[in-house]
Amino acid sequence: MTALEALPARRIVRAIADAAQRWGDADFPPRVRALDAIIARTGYSMPVVEYALDRLFESISHEALLAVIADELGCLEALDGFAERPGRPRARAFPVGRVAIVSSRTTIGVAIVPAVFALCSKNDVVVKDRQDRLVAAFFETLGQEDEVFARAARAQGWNGADATTTLDDFEAVVAFGSDETLAEIRRRCAPDARFVGFGSKASAGYVAREALADAAHATSIARGAARDLILYDTQGCLSLHVLFVERGGAVTPERFGAMLAAAVEHASVEFPLGARDDHASARLGSARAMAAFRAAAGEGTAFSDDAGTYLLALDPPRAQAPFFSPRALTIHAVDHPGEAAAYLDAHGIALEALAADGTRQDIVNMAAAAGAARIARFGDLQAPLLTANHGGRLRIGDFVDWITDET
């Protein structure tokens, strides 16, 4: 029996939502204490970390939690006993048992959302935490809401390079990381464990010609795209890594590139550049020099600032993959989504999400073919809804086992 199994699901949901609400307050002491540790671990500037914490904890609302549970399980009551579900047989959702969650290196608090849903379904949860101990601090707040969480939710350090670190005593394992990291983590799990892996993906943007009908609307899109680019220094799977701009609008791709450069410089005031290691600086410097050289030779256009804090390369050779460097973006002018699909396929890029202005069917088809699980407005690429299916997967469904009553 798990620690939470006797606790009513409604009480669990309320405790989690109340703890998240406390963490949503920028002056909440545990959050203030965690801030410096997160900055030190990630290298992001303070405004970026504050934004990440705001988005994370504001999303974990009582209403959103209940909505996901009702959508995926049929009703909240199924977590407490056999329950009637519209259009489905009476059933009960039992916790799978022990759930391990391995945090991502870059994304702030990414383990908290699956941990929350694993706890809502009454599992015992262990999170392999990062050095900033954000998850551990949040779990301490949960323990203050109800002491039973102190037994149900634990966070501990994780050394992924340690071959003795095993996960074979967990019924379910959630992991974030590169494809190679996920393969190694999967190898350490029990053969029959439920494995939920979120691997290496990228995100893109597509600006349709209809969105470039006037300068005012194009400027608005540029501002959103700039935020999608610079948040978290382009390191996450939801960062804007490549942008496709259709020809044929009143605003040309070249003019839109200039608008985007201005928007990046403006957004950088709100979200300043954090600490950048020598390797990242060298990669960006090399990419900037090459883009400038090609532009001088009449091959595309390069936008940057004197300090080299960002790079926008318009129409580099199609054989060149996206930079995947901090605040560096490849922009390609295209005539239709098929060109974008061909580029993504040629470079083996699987999309996590696509930023777009509207949902024109051929753009939707391109996003689906590239594996995208989400289409977002420009500016919201890095702010997924809790009620959405991250990675195209269920939020809570992976953490329960079902028994149906057909008598």
Side-chain angles (χ1 to χ4, degrees):
M1 185 171 180
T2 64
L4 291 170
E5 207 156 345
L7 203 64
R10 194 167 297 278
R11 184 171 170 185
I12 294 171
V13 171
R14 173 53 69 186
I16 290 171
D18 287 349
Q21 185 177 34
R22 293 166 70 184
W23 273 83
D25 178 1
D27 295 324
F28 183 52
R31 171 171 162 163
V32 173
R33 290 193 293 270
L35 192 64
D36 287 342
I38 297 171
I39 292 171
R41 180 181 72 79
T42 62
Y44 301 149
S45 64
M46 183 179 294
V48 171
V49 175
E50 291 279 23
Y51 173 88
L53 294 177
D54 286 344
R55 294 297 311 184
L56 172 62
F57 292 110
E58 288 172 4
S59 75
I60 306 174
S61 68
H62 186 252
E63 295 75 15
L65 292 171
L66 290 178
V68 171
I69 294 169
D71 176 58
E72 295 187 13
L73 306 187
C75 64
L76 178 68
E77 290 72 24
L79 291 167
D80 294 329
F82 283 97
E84 302 289 345
R85 302 179 301 156
R88 310 183 205 180
R90 274 170 46 87
R92 178 172 182 180
F94 283 92
V96 296
R98 300 187 72 226
V99 176
I101 302 172
V102 182
S103 297
S104 163
R105 179 183 63 83
T106 56
T107 309
I108 297 170
V110 70
I112 288 178
V113 171
V116 159
F117 284 112
L119 291 170
C120 284
S121 46
K122 304 188 179 184
N123 291 281
D124 291 330
V125 176
V126 177
V127 173
K128 306 295 186 178
D129 207 357
R130 291 297 173 180
Q131 298 94 323
D132 52 44
R133 297 189 73 253
L134 173 61
V135 180
F138 178 68
F139 282 174
E140 288 173 10
T141 305
L142 271 180
Q144 295 167 9
E145 294 292 335
D146 195 310
E147 61 182 13
V148 72
F149 283 103
R151 303 193 306 276
R154 295 190 299 110
Q156 61 189 50
W158 165 253
N159 180 6
D162 185 356
T164 65
T165 303
T166 60
L167 295 163
D168 56 9
D169 56 347
F170 291 93
E171 282 71 39
V173 176
V174 180
F176 300 84
S178 68
D179 294 342
E180 294 77 12
T181 297
L182 294 186
E184 176 60 24
I185 292 172
R186 183 68 182 97
R187 187 185 65 79
R188 301 182 190 185
C189 301
D192 59 347
R194 196 168 298 172
F195 183 74
V196 181
F198 296 96
S200 302
K201 286 194 173 185
S203 291
Y206 195 95
V207 184
R209 61 180 60 89
E210 298 88 351
L212 300 174
D214 63 80
H217 192 63
T219 298
S220 175
I221 292 174
R223 288 171 179 165
R227 172 175 289 217
D228 294 333
L229 171 67
I230 70 171
L231 274 173
Y232 318 121
D233 288 341
T234 329
Q235 295 186 47
C237 63
L238 291 176
S239 296
L240 184 62
H241 297 104
V242 58
L243 181 66
F244 304 99
V245 183
E246 277 190 341
R247 302 182 184 95
V251 175
T252 65
E254 292 77 12
R255 186 180 174 196
F256 183 79
M259 289 176 170
L260 182 55
V264 167
E265 296 193 14
H266 185 269
S268 295
V269 176
E270 181 181 5
F271 299 111
L273 184 67
R276 183 179 285 175
D277 61 40
D278 292 341
H279 178 66
S281 296
R283 285 176 58 201
L284 183 59
S286 176
R288 183 169 176 254
M290 179 58 70
F293 174 79
R294 285 175 173 153
E299 298 181 11
T301 306
F303 302 91
S304 187
D305 58 355
D306 292 340
T309 61
Y310 74 92
L311 170 64
L312 310 179
L314 174 63
D315 282 334
R318 294 286 175 98
Q320 177 182 305
F323 297 113
F324 295 111
S325 293
R327 303 195 179 199
L329 180 66
T330 297
I331 308 171
H332 287 291
V334 297
D335 290 318
H336 51 78
E339 292 184 57
Y343 178 85
L344 296 171
D345 184 64
H347 293 286
I349 299 171
L351 290 186
E352 177 65 33
L354 179 78
D357 185 67
T359 50
R360 205 176 76 195
Q361 192 57 51
D362 57 347
I363 299 174
V364 173
N365 293 343
M366 178 271 290
R374 177 170 163 260
I375 298 176
R377 290 187 297 266
F378 281 101
D380 290 337
L381 196 58
Q382 306 256 30
L385 298 173
L386 188 81
T387 48
N389 300 98
H390 180 58
R393 301 191 65 111
L394 297 174
R395 287 291 202 181
I396 193 170
D398 287 320
F399 302 125
V400 299
D401 286 326
W402 286 98
I403 296 181
T404 58
D405 176 10
E406 301 177 13
T407 59

